[in-house]
Amino acid sequence: MATSSAPIVVGIDVGTTKVCTLIAEITDDDQCEVIGVGIAPSRGLKKGAVVNTEDVIDAIGASLERAEKQSGFDIVSAYVGISGAHIQTQSSPGVVAVRHADRQITEDDVDRALEAARAISLPSDREIVHAVARNFVIDGQDGIKNPAGMIGHRIEVHTTIVSGATTSVSNLERCVQRAGIELKSLVLQPLAAGLAVLTEAERDLGVAVIDIGGGTTDVAVFMEGALTYAASIPVGGQHVTNDITVGLRAQFATAEELKVRYGCAMPEMVPEDRVVDVAAFDGGSDGTEVSLREVSEIIEPRMVELFELVQEKLALAGHRDGLPAGIVLCGGTAQLGGLRRLASDMFRTPVRIGTPTGVYGLTDQIMTPAFATSVGLLKFGLEEGVEPVSGPRVPALSGIGSALSGWLKNLLP
Ligand SMILES: Nc1ncnc2c1ncn2[C@@H]1O[C@H](COP(=O)(O)OP(=O)(O)OP(=O)(O)O)[C@@H](O)[C@H]1O
Ligand SMILES: [Mg+2]
């Protein structure tokens, strides 16, 4: 296997429809250069959670193999995305005293404050996935993002605790380990997606990212630069395809192709007389003409229902009236025709489609909304301050962790 003088970061997005492994080299100027992409069809997941371990291990293995072959690297460890309806968030404060005589706050003090915030009572069947630092208060002074190096007596941190069901977390961890990979950290999928598609200004102002995948729709809210809320709804693009199968009595492959090529979430955008012959599709043997307006009329109620569920989640998070920077849609289903317009009509807020940015190299396949989470995992790894994770002779990393600032540095795995 090849070796590199640069450190490597690896992200594995285990989605309901695809598993995507990305391998990136971290360049001297702290950028991710993608050198391996492995996309494999996913099996063994339902609504974002593992239901068949062997199938998931096989899918991860196939995706790893492709990425390894392309990059020439042997993957040792990776950041892995987690999602599912079991994910919950809550706020938690942590307070500690600064003990040094000079009162200068160190990274250790910050870590102790975060540790204190993690000391919450969770039901025995749940565990913490992240403690995200939102804001620090030092001796009463609010709004501090990175207190290390400041002088103070008392550190107070306000965090977003992301927790998941222990069974779901353990099942995913087990699949990754059995695929031969050491888990660096589980990363909440919409947190990763937010890193890939949101601008810093959006995250500061307040924004919701909605990742509409195959089996799930993940919602994450960012305010003042940090994650403040996340939830997962067990509805995605596969439900739309299923609806078309039932509505038109078509095969799944035909319905999927109809949706991807011609689907529209707003019937009024489709001319009433437009038809396509599904016999021309791969796997489509029905040999009938289908009205695209009719297809759209099948899609619309499912997407309206989904956005109503998202609205309920946002209302629960205290954002009934929307967020200042609006909504960013990503995930494969974000590419559905008319979806942006439907969303802006329903949420009455600016809506844009989010495509991942900020990574270089072999990006042809991955710069689409479906790969927001995959790209975000690389960015998470980069910002957390990676150690060498791949290749037998990769030299130790220096400098990246210390060069980083910002809220991500304060995430604990
Ligand atoms: N152009 C398109 N128009 C509409 N839907 C599309 C398009 N391209 C892909 N999709 C849909 O996107 C979905 C897959 O999205 P994505 O790759 O984000 O899912 P995933 O990450 O595997 O799943 P999840 O995040 O739910 O676990 C599929 O249902 C697919 O039909
Ligand atoms: Mg996904």
Side-chain angles (χ1 to χ4, degrees), residues 78-141:
Y79 291 89
V80 177
I82 185 164
S83 169
H86 62 102
I87 294 290
Q88 289 173 2
T89 50
Q90 65 192 88
S91 303
S92 172
V95 181
V96 290
V98 181
R99 296 199 199 100
H100 333 286
D102 64 359
R103 300 292 173 201
Q104 179 157 330
I105 298 166
T106 63
E107 290 288 352
D108 274 356
D109 297 323
V110 173
D111 288 348
R112 279 194 301 117
L114 283 165
E115 210 45 58
R118 290 168 75 102
I120 52 167
S121 66
L122 281 177
S124 60
D125 57 353
R126 297 190 65 76
E127 64 185 80
I128 294 177
V129 179
H130 295 286
V132 181
R134 286 189 205 173
N135 176 25
F136 289 87
V137 184
I138 309 297
D139 294 349
Q141 189 190 333

Side-chain angles (χ1 to χ4, degrees), residues 301-346:
R302 179 63 84 169
M303 297 322 293
V304 167
E305 179 206 30
L306 174 61
F307 285 150
E308 281 168 357
L309 293 170
V310 172
Q311 276 170 334
E312 275 173 30
K313 297 286 184 196
L314 290 177
L316 273 176
H319 305 295
R320 191 178 294 279
D321 299 326
L323 285 128
I327 284 174
V328 178
L329 300 177
C330 63
T333 304
Q335 300 165 107
L336 184 67
L339 197 65
R340 197 199 63 78
R341 231 174 90 180
L342 179 72
S344 66
D345 284 2
M346 284 186 68

